[in-house]
Amino acid sequence: MTTDATSKGAPAGSRSLEHPAREDIRLADVLHALADPMRLRIVCALAAAEGELTCADIELPVTKSTCTHHYRVLREHGVIQQIYRGTAKMNGLRRADLDAVFPGLIDGVLRAAELQARRLGDG
């Protein structure tokens, strides 16, 4: 089962994107999405923002088409929500959904990413 942005609060008539329903989010899919360094960077940035960001707000050292791929994987695996607001595609971490189905997972991943960045001198 999937939901779309309209059911998540987007204005009627706006473009919508498919998102898995909370009950359809699977641990293996979330872990797969988080395993890529660029996607993990996106998730860390969204968590730090505590709100929505556009794709352009998060600088990634890859091509635009590769960025699009990474955002799509995160959305299709239930990690982020994407909603069009006018011409901007806004991205938000699905923290409430992820915390409900996998309590503590996102907090643990974010903490591990922070520790890794410190250890490797990236943070």
Side-chain angles (χ1 to χ4, degrees):
M1 175 183 220
T2 58
T3 59
D4 62 33
T6 302
S7 65
K8 296 281 189 180
S14 67
R15 294 181 286 173
S16 63
L17 299 161
E18 294 292 318
H19 297 80
R22 177 186 285 186
E23 62 271 12
D24 294 330
I25 298 173
R26 300 291 178 255
L27 181 60
D29 292 338
V30 172
L31 294 175
H32 166 76
L34 295 173
D36 183 275
M38 293 300 111
R39 293 193 290 263
L40 183 57
R41 185 184 289 193
I42 293 167
V43 169
C44 289
L46 291 172
E50 297 181 3
E52 296 177 336
L53 297 173
T54 66
C55 298
D57 290 333
I58 303 171
E59 190 172 321
L60 299 175
V62 296
T63 65
K64 186 175 179 178
S65 63
T66 301
C67 285
T68 300
H69 165 74
H70 287 310
Y71 281 98
R72 182 177 47 79
V73 169
L74 289 167
R75 177 177 45 83
E76 289 177 349
H77 288 74
V79 179
I80 68 169
Q81 176 177 315
Q82 293 185 301
I83 298 176
Y84 281 102
R85 297 202 195 286
T87 59
K89 188 187 295 182
M90 303 304 296
N91 302 283
L93 183 61
R94 290 181 66 178
R95 184 181 278 277
D97 289 336
L98 293 168
D99 286 345
V101 292
F102 310 116
L105 177 67
I106 291 299
D107 288 334
V109 166
L110 294 170
R111 179 72 177 134
E114 178 185 331
L115 291 171
Q116 175 178 278
R118 284 189 203 161
R119 182 173 48 87
L120 299 176
D122 296 336

